[in-house]
């Protein structure tokens, strides 16, 4: 945290983008969750609502003060980048604030609440969103007063509060009709993650897919890498032609900077995305290199690390499955690749290694031979000469 750049509570990034800091700094949120107001003047589009801490509301109030159009609402639409709590937790308090600001400015006048937008979760999709321990968005929606939102249909309940986003969807500035944002579905971090292309800034809002500092976490590595490659090539001649039904004629798609959901503005956007891809490809190559080599004898003894409670017993022997050769466990791959790192980092690192192995398994390059958790054992199925991942 000490090495992070200072981010002001409210920052005008351009004539039509204001960044509002979520007041929730931390190990995973960096300086806090960046929320954004898009538009040349009110009514704005608000991107994300932060975590829901009371300290965010006065900061957002400051960003919305002295509206250009006092007879119009402050925010017409709220776009949610994905379901994680630090992006949706502020929904109840933000919606209450917007109604309060309107009534203070226009007493007795009818209020038009904002529309809520999010990319839909596909039926049966896999991911942490299925775990109520992590995903409290359904509970938040259940408690929302109906008068605080404009639902997608007159009969929709607050559980059906969201207007579904679609890939390529355009949001227009109600003042001048110009495109404010174009939606890109960029799953991998979560299945519903989106990015937003902001043409007037030549900027790409990346949510948690690419951060302003460090690297991002993800639920599915193959999908994540595919989306990073799509983002890297977006707006270039090598990109697939966009759907004409969702493209504005003459719209400049060539972005330069990134507006992340955590951390400062990234001025060298494509270089940063390229670095993310290269980092993952390098780690994948390291995993394959380890699997090509024999397991050192010392790694077949009892696990010496006390930092992984699941690995304090001897590794199960599946030697017969590989013709007498010892198999690599996830934990031993971690111990090999992270041997110069403090042991308290090994268990968190095992999640990323497991995601790499699952990707390689799905592509047919490795086989799962048994075991559970960090004791899952693997063997190389084929030995690719080059990385099987998408190229840059």
């Amino acid at each position: 945290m000490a090495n992070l750049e200072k981010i002001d509570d409210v920052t005008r990034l351009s004539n039509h983008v204001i960044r509002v800091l979520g007041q929730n700094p931390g190990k995973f949120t960096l300086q806090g969750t960046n929320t954004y107001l898009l538009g040349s003047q009110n009514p704005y589009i608000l991107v994300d609502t932060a975590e829901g801490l009371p300290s965010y509301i006065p900061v957002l109030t400051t960003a919305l003060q002295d509206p250009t159009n006092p007879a119009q609402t402050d925010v017409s639409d709220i776009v949610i980048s994905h379901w994680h709590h630090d992006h949706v937790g502020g929904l109840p308090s933000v919606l209450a604030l917007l109604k309060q600001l309107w009534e203070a400015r226009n007493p007795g006048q009818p209020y038009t609440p904002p529309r809520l937008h999010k990319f839909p979760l596909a039926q049966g999709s896999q991911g942490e969103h299925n775990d109520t321990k992590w995903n409290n968005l359904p509970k938040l929606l259940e408690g929302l007063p109906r008068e605080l939102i404009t639902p997608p249909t007159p009969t929709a309940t607050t559980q059906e509060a969201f207007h579904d986003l679609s890939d390529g969807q355009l949001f227009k500035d109600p003042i001048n009709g110009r495109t404010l944002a174009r939606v890109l579905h960029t799953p991998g971090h979560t299945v519903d993650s989106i990015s937003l292309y902001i043409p007037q800034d030549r900027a790409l809002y990346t949510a948690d897919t690419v951060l302003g500092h460090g690297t991002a976490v993800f639920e599915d590595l193959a999908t994540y890498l595919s989306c990073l490659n799509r983002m890297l090539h977006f707006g270039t001649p090598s990109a697939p032609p966009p759907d004409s039904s969702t493209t504005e004629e003459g719209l400049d798609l060539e972005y330069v900077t990134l507006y992340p959901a955590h951390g400062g503005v990234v001025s060298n956007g494509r270089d940063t995305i390229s670095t993310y891809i290269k980092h993952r490809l390098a780690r994948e190559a390291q995993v394959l290199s380890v699997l090509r080599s024999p397991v050192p004898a010392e790694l077949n003894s009892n696990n010496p690390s006390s930092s992984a409670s699941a690995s304090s017993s001897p590794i199960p022997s599946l030697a017969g499955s590989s013709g007498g050769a010892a198999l690599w466990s996830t934990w031993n791959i971690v111990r090999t690749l992270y041997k110069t790192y403090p042991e308290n980092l090994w268990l968190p690192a095992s999640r990323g290694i497991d995601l790499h192995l699952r990707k390689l398994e799905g592509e047919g390059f490795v086989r799962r031979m048994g075991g559970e958790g960090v004791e899952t054992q693997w063997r190389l199925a084929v030995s690719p000469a080059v990385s099987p991942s998408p190229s840059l």
Side-chain angles (χ1 to χ4, degrees):
M1 294 291 292
N3 297 325
L4 298 178
E5 67 173 281
K6 184 181 185 305
I7 292 181
D8 292 333
D9 287 343
V10 179
T11 307
R12 177 167 284 283
L13 299 178
S14 71
N15 290 335
H16 30 264
V17 178
I18 300 171
R19 182 181 61 202
V20 186
L21 191 58
Q23 309 304 302
N24 57 330
K27 178 180 178 182
F28 299 107
T29 56
L30 305 181
Q31 297 95 328
T33 303
N34 296 326
T35 66
Y36 293 87
L37 291 168
L38 308 184
S40 54
Q41 56 194 49
N42 73 299
Y44 297 104
I45 296 171
L46 174 64
V47 181
D48 286 340
T49 62
E51 189 171 317
L53 299 180
S55 51
Y56 174 68
I57 294 304
V59 174
L60 180 59
T61 302
T62 298
L64 294 171
Q65 68 184 356
D66 302 324
T68 303
N69 301 308
Q72 296 192 42
T73 57
D74 294 281
V75 171
S76 60
D77 299 86
I78 297 176
V79 174
I80 298 297
S81 65
H82 61 292
W83 64 265
H84 281 168
H85 178 66
D86 60 306
H87 298 260
V88 304
L91 264 174
S93 57
V94 167
L95 291 170
L97 170 68
L98 296 176
K99 188 171 189 290
Q100 175 188 332
L101 292 174
W102 170 263
E103 291 177 341
R105 209 166 57 233
N106 300 278
Q109 296 300 310
Y111 172 60
T112 302
R115 295 174 289 265
L116 307 183
H117 305 264
K118 193 179 79 66
F119 201 89
L121 295 165
Q123 189 76 22
S125 59
Q126 300 300 306
E128 291 180 346
H129 60 275
N130 293 311
D131 190 341
T132 55
K133 175 183 175 183
W134 303 111
N135 185 4
N136 66 351
L137 181 56
K139 187 175 180 180
L140 274 178
L141 295 176
E142 196 174 278
L144 285 181
R146 184 179 175 84
E147 66 271 15
L148 296 183
I149 64 169
T150 295
T153 65
T155 58
T157 67
T158 51
Q159 282 283 16
E160 305 165 315
F162 288 112
H163 299 248
D164 288 346
L165 293 174
S166 59
D167 190 66
Q169 180 177 340
L170 301 178
F171 283 90
K172 303 281 188 172
D173 191 325
I175 305 302
N176 56 34
R178 297 178 67 183
T179 295
L180 275 176
R182 185 180 191 271
V183 176
L184 283 78
H185 182 212
T186 49
H189 175 68
T190 61
V191 296
D192 61 339
S193 288
I194 62 157
S195 298
L196 295 170
Y197 175 59
I198 304 170
Q200 296 177 67
D201 283 20
R202 304 188 80 194
L204 191 64
Y205 164 75
T206 56
D208 285 7
T209 300
V210 178
L211 307 180
H213 179 88
T215 56
V217 298
F218 43 86
E219 290 186 355
D220 184 286
L221 179 54
T223 303
Y224 181 66
L225 274 171
S226 176
C227 285
L228 286 176
N229 271 284
R230 182 191 180 197
M231 294 163 72
L232 177 67
H233 296 288
F234 178 78
T236 68
S238 61
D243 183 349
S244 59
S245 66
T246 61
T247 301
E248 177 182 320
E249 186 176 351
L251 183 64
D252 180 9
L253 300 179
E254 183 71 34
Y255 72 88
V256 177
T257 57
L258 307 180
Y259 293 161
H262 302 280
V265 172
V266 179
S267 58
N268 54 340
R270 293 189 196 273
D271 288 345
T272 297
I273 294 174
S274 178
T275 298
Y276 265 54
I277 296 171
K278 289 174 181 176
H279 172 72
R280 286 297 150 203
L281 296 184
R283 183 64 77 204
E284 182 174 88
Q286 291 171 344
V287 169
L288 289 169
S289 177
V290 168
L291 287 170
R292 290 190 191 103
S293 63
V295 182
E298 64 269 19
L299 293 185
N300 283 322
S301 61
N302 287 0
N303 181 0
S305 172
S306 60
S307 63
S309 58
S311 303
S312 56
S313 59
I315 301 290
S317 174
L318 297 178
S321 302
S322 58
L327 295 168
W328 280 98
S329 69
T330 301
W331 186 246
N332 280 342
I333 295 172
V334 171
R335 290 167 71 189
T336 300
L337 294 180
Y338 290 86
K339 61 185 176 182
T340 61
Y341 290 76
E343 290 190 20
N344 64 346
L345 298 179
W346 291 2
L347 193 57
S350 68
R351 180 183 182 276
I353 295 301
D354 178 67
L355 288 168
H356 273 282
L357 289 163
R358 290 187 195 183
K359 171 183 175 293
L360 291 166
E361 180 188 25
E363 295 166 337
F365 291 100
V366 303
R367 292 179 185 170
R368 185 187 304 257
M369 304 303 295
E372 296 291 337
V374 295
E375 292 183 354
T376 303
Q377 299 196 346
W378 306 88
R379 66 176 297 181
L380 201 63
V382 295
S383 185
V386 295
S387 169
S389 300
S391 59
L392 292 175

